[in-house]
Amino acid sequence: MVFLRPMQRFRRAFENWLLRRVPRQSLPQRVGRRRVYIMPTPAGYAFGALVFALWLGSMNYANSMGFALAFLLAGVGLVAMHLTHANLLGIHLRQCHAKAVHAGKEARIELVLSHDGARPRPAIFAHWPTSVAASRDGVDLPASDAARLHLDLPTVRRGWLPLPPIALETTFPLGLFRAWTWIRPDRRLLVYPATDALGPSFPQTHHAEGEDSGRRAGREHFDSLRDYRHGDAMHDIHWKRLAKDSKPTVKQFLDTTDRRLWIDWQALSGDHESRIRQCARMVIEAHRQGWRWGMRLPGALIPPEEGDAHRHQCLRTLALFDPPGEQHG
């Protein structure tokens, strides 16, 4: 509706004014009475206009039944306003966490809400500021219990991403009023570097050594003996043992294959952000293929290892890495 647009602009301006005054706070945070804001919804404005028109008509025609209906509806509106405000009071934001994601993808933020009251709190919603993202989720909080919500947060750059303010709101029970509060958690999300879709998978700077080497069937090194099977090559039979045991055995050989990889900054090309994306892609590929890998970066050396913890260490180092002479904002 056209006549509601000025109210929507006023609401956005009012929320922006509030956001500039919301400090970062450690969790858990409780929604107190002084932190709850309430305003009519578009349906609430229409309801108020209807009650006013009914009262005006009753006064003009001296209609007592019209007065009674107008005051009854006004009382319903006041009770609805009180219940909407009370539905948000006392709710706690207990936790707010997410797993690290690569830049350009959406992080899924998990919120844990709870309250200690004896009655349920229906229709509690959470969302980001309009300028951040349109993600929104709602839940009905059981009495004296907790519930989880999930919000998707877009990411753009690698590094630490402070979480934006979170709005908790409700329009329960009639949708005539909207009560809300803002909480700015003192939390930040680690954003891994984006990965190049194209480019070399691995630099040619790896070698095999000791226990870092894998093995496969081949012709390099003697490994063990096994019983002869039909079709085995004659030159693989252990003739000296045959003279002693009178039972043919066959020699087995293995080749060593390199399973250790060095991701070397100096072996890559491009600007520093391009090299970081290439390194991130190699870390993911090496982890997927089961390699033991290490990284050589200017001023940092991560020894070869494997597993999820090592993958996270490498990607975290890349996410926060600033090459000498560069400043990452």
Side-chain angles (χ1 to χ4, degrees), residues 20 36 45 60 73 85 101 112-113 172 189 230 282 289 297 306 313:
R20 290 193 294 268
V36 177
Y45 285 111
N60 186 51
L73 292 179
H85 187 272
V101 297
V112 179
L113 301 181
F172 178 84
L189 168 69
H230 180 71
M282 293 173 191
Q289 295 191 16
L297 303 176
E306 58 185 334
Q313 180 190 9

Side-chain angles (χ1 to χ4, degrees), residues 202 261 263 281-291 293:
F202 302 110
L261 169 72
I263 300 175
R281 181 175 183 269
M282 293 173 191
V283 167
I284 294 171
E285 188 69 14
H287 177 70
R288 186 180 66 83
Q289 295 191 16
W291 290 75
W293 77 93

Side-chain angles (χ1 to χ4, degrees), residues 33-318:
R33 189 174 301 275
R34 294 184 177 181
R35 298 176 56 181
V36 177
Y37 309 94
I38 186 166
M39 288 186 67
T41 62
Y45 285 111
F47 180 83
L50 175 64
V51 172
F52 179 76
L54 182 60
W55 174 80
L56 194 63
S58 301
M59 186 174 61
N60 186 51
Y61 292 101
N63 189 324
S64 59
M65 294 300 294
F67 276 119
L69 181 59
F71 290 132
L72 175 64
L73 292 179
V76 169
L78 290 175
V79 172
M81 180 177 65
H82 170 74
L83 292 177
T84 301
H85 187 272
N87 197 47
L88 206 57
L89 289 178
I91 291 178
H92 292 80
L93 177 58
R94 294 287 183 187
Q95 299 176 25
C96 180
H97 54 81
K99 294 182 178 179
V101 297
H102 291 274
K105 296 184 178 180
E106 289 190 336
R108 194 158 183 79
I109 313 296
E110 182 181 79
L111 310 177
V112 179
L113 301 181
S114 69
H115 81 105
D116 303 324
R119 67 177 182 85
R121 302 297 180 89
I124 303 296
F125 291 88
H127 64 84
W128 306 117
T130 307
S131 58
V132 174
S135 183
R136 179 183 176 90
D137 193 14
V139 71
D140 294 330
L141 268 176
S144 302
D145 205 349
R148 299 175 185 273
L149 300 91
H150 296 88
L151 296 177
D152 294 327
L153 180 65
T155 62
V156 178
R157 305 174 63 182
R158 65 182 177 90
W160 291 114
L161 173 63
L163 291 184
I166 299 170
L168 300 180
E169 68 173 39
T170 183
T171 58
F172 178 84
L174 299 181
L176 300 179
F177 293 90
R178 169 180 172 261
W180 79 96
T181 187
W182 290 103
I183 299 177
R184 192 190 295 263
D186 189 15
R187 293 284 192 276
R188 56 184 185 175
L189 168 69
L190 180 63
V191 181
Y192 293 149
T195 57
D196 276 345
L198 301 175
S201 294
F202 302 110
Q204 302 300 316
T205 59
H206 58 275
H207 55 78
E209 193 174 286
E211 64 179 7
D212 290 325
S213 300
R215 301 195 300 174
R216 65 185 178 192
R219 303 301 306 172
E220 285 189 12
H221 304 288
F222 172 76
D223 181 64
S224 60
L225 295 172
R226 64 170 173 82
D227 292 339
Y228 174 82
R229 292 194 293 262
H230 180 71
D232 287 334
M234 297 296 291
H235 58 76
D236 286 339
I237 296 176
H238 197 306
W239 295 105
K240 293 182 180 181
R241 190 177 183 89
L242 177 61
K244 295 179 181 180
D245 298 343
S246 69
K247 181 182 179 181
T249 55
V250 176
K251 294 179 285 186
Q252 293 189 114
F253 296 86
L254 293 175
D255 289 347
T256 58
T257 58
D258 180 16
R259 303 301 296 172
R260 186 176 71 173
L261 169 72
W262 280 105
I263 300 175
D264 194 339
W265 178 272
Q266 300 301 332
L268 303 174
S269 60
D271 59 28
H272 78 276
E273 286 298 329
S274 175
R275 294 189 187 192
I276 288 174
R277 290 193 299 268
Q278 292 176 56
C279 288
R281 181 175 183 269
M282 293 173 191
V283 167
I284 294 171
E285 188 69 14
H287 177 70
R288 186 180 66 83
Q289 295 191 16
W291 290 75
R292 294 171 61 88
W293 77 93
M295 285 201 312
R296 293 191 184 103
L297 303 176
L301 176 67
I302 301 179
E305 259 302 340
E306 58 185 334
D308 288 332
H310 183 59
R311 175 185 62 86
H312 172 72
Q313 180 190 9
C314 292
L315 291 176
R316 185 182 189 278
T317 300
L318 290 171

